[in-house]
């Protein structure tokens, strides 16, 4: 068996690390973790030995290096899960890939104004029109996907998929910052929050003591 290592940033702040880690967990693959705390001299000194982009996450599978979160999810799906992290149906698979790609490249206002912070429970932030527009787009995407796959399971595409991993940090932000969600997607939000792997990551994030000041937003 090859040696698989996932290099991640702080669990509390690194949404991209969370996405890749969640997919690996759903693949039932045995992997090691290496945490490099963000915005520290340690990170700057060590990241170059792992990642050509000097960013996390990065997956090391023996001599192979995969250094982008969505690429890691796709690689893990093919390498370890026999494709089960996407639906067999081509239309559903296409929808999911569009959703994942849109999350991967979009929503800059949401990212900037509602920073990822697992420990920021019961924080409150003002939601400006730019963020509200992006949230409305996400809610519409989720509602449409859930409606189309309601008879197949509780996740966006029925079963858990890469699309769920890509949007998981958004769900955390919604809960922590008290963002109201439409009734039609509330069960999905609770489904993700109650997932054992999500809860494990949250528990591990709560034990960290590193602080990234720029991601400490909102009033508690």
């Amino acid at each position: 068996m090859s040696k698989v290592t996932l290099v991640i940033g702080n669990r509390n702040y690194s949404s991209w690390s969370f996405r890749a880690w969640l997919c690996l967990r759903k693949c039932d693959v045995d992997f090691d973790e290496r945490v490099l705390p963000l915005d520290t001299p340690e990170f700057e000194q060590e990241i170059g030995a792992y990642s050509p982009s000097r960013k996390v996450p990065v997956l090391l599978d023996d001599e192979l290096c995969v250094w982008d979160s969505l690429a890691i999810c796709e690689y893990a799906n093919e390498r370890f899960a026999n494709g089960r992290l996407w639906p067999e149906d081509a239309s559903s698979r296409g929808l999911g890939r569009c959703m994942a790609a849109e999350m991967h490249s979009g929503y800059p206002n949401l990212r900037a104004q509602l920073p990822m912070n697992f420990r920021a429970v019961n924080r409150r932030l003002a939601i400006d029109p730019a963020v509200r527009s992006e949230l409305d787009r996400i809610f519409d995407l989720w509602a449409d996907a859930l409606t189309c796959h309601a008879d197949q399971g509780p996740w966006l595409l029925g079963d858990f998929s890469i699309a769920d991993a890509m949007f998981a940090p958004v769900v955390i932000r919604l809960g922590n910052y008290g963002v109201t969600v439409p009734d039609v997607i509330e069960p999905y939000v609770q489904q993700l929050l109650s997932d054992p792997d999500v809860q494990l990551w949250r528990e591990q994030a709560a034990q960290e003591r590193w602080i990234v000041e720029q991601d400490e937003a909102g009033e508690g």
Side-chain angles (χ1 to χ4, degrees):
M1 292 291 291
S2 61
K3 179 177 176 60
V4 179
T5 300
L6 184 68
V7 183
I8 60 177
N10 315 36
R11 291 178 177 85
N12 191 56
Y13 302 109
S14 184
S15 59
W16 295 109
S17 298
F18 178 40
R19 293 174 169 106
W21 180 90
L22 192 53
C23 277
L24 282 176
R25 291 282 296 185
K26 298 306 181 185
C27 291
D28 297 322
V29 60
D30 184 23
F31 64 98
D32 294 331
E33 299 174 28
R34 173 76 170 94
V35 180
L36 295 181
L38 303 172
D39 291 355
T40 64
E42 178 185 352
F43 185 94
E44 294 303 322
Q45 291 167 6
E46 297 191 29
I47 187 59
Y50 298 108
S51 172
S53 70
R54 300 188 62 84
K55 296 179 180 179
V56 288
V58 56
L59 177 73
L60 307 174
D61 187 2
D62 280 342
E63 297 183 358
L64 178 65
C65 172
V66 187
W67 65 85
D68 173 86
S69 58
L70 184 52
I72 291 170
C73 294
E74 292 281 9
Y75 177 79
N77 183 45
E78 295 178 1
R79 174 82 166 82
F80 305 115
N82 197 30
R84 71 174 182 272
L85 295 187
W86 285 127
E88 293 184 6
D89 176 71
S91 295
S92 295
R93 194 164 61 249
L95 171 63
R97 284 196 162 117
C98 286
M99 295 175 71
E102 184 170 327
M103 181 69 252
H104 190 256
S105 62
Y107 312 120
N109 298 291
L110 173 63
R111 299 182 198 281
Q113 297 183 43
L114 277 66
M116 185 71 246
N117 188 337
F118 268 84
R119 296 195 299 263
V121 178
N122 295 325
R123 299 272 183 93
R124 293 297 178 264
L125 290 166
I127 304 297
D128 71 14
V131 175
R132 174 54 59 190
S133 177
E134 292 176 357
L135 287 172
D136 288 344
R137 168 61 179 162
I138 290 171
F139 293 160
D140 287 345
L141 277 176
W142 291 357
D144 289 346
L146 290 166
T147 298
C148 290
H149 301 90
D151 62 339
Q152 299 170 42
W155 299 96
L156 290 173
L157 305 176
D159 292 328
F160 182 92
S161 73
I162 292 173
D164 297 294
M166 293 301 291
F167 281 106
V170 176
V171 174
I172 301 302
R173 287 172 163 98
L174 298 176
N176 282 6
Y177 295 122
V179 178
T180 301
V181 302
D183 291 343
V184 68
I185 65 173
E186 181 62 30
Y188 171 68
V189 168
Q190 296 306 317
Q191 171 73 20
L192 191 137
L193 292 176
S194 65
D195 179 80
D197 291 319
V198 174
Q199 292 184 342
L200 174 61
W201 181 278
R202 185 191 287 278
E203 291 167 3
Q204 293 172 335
Q207 296 171 11
E208 294 179 341
R209 293 297 176 261
W210 299 296
I211 300 294
V212 178
E213 291 294 346
Q214 66 187 31
D215 291 331
E216 293 293 330
E219 298 294 333

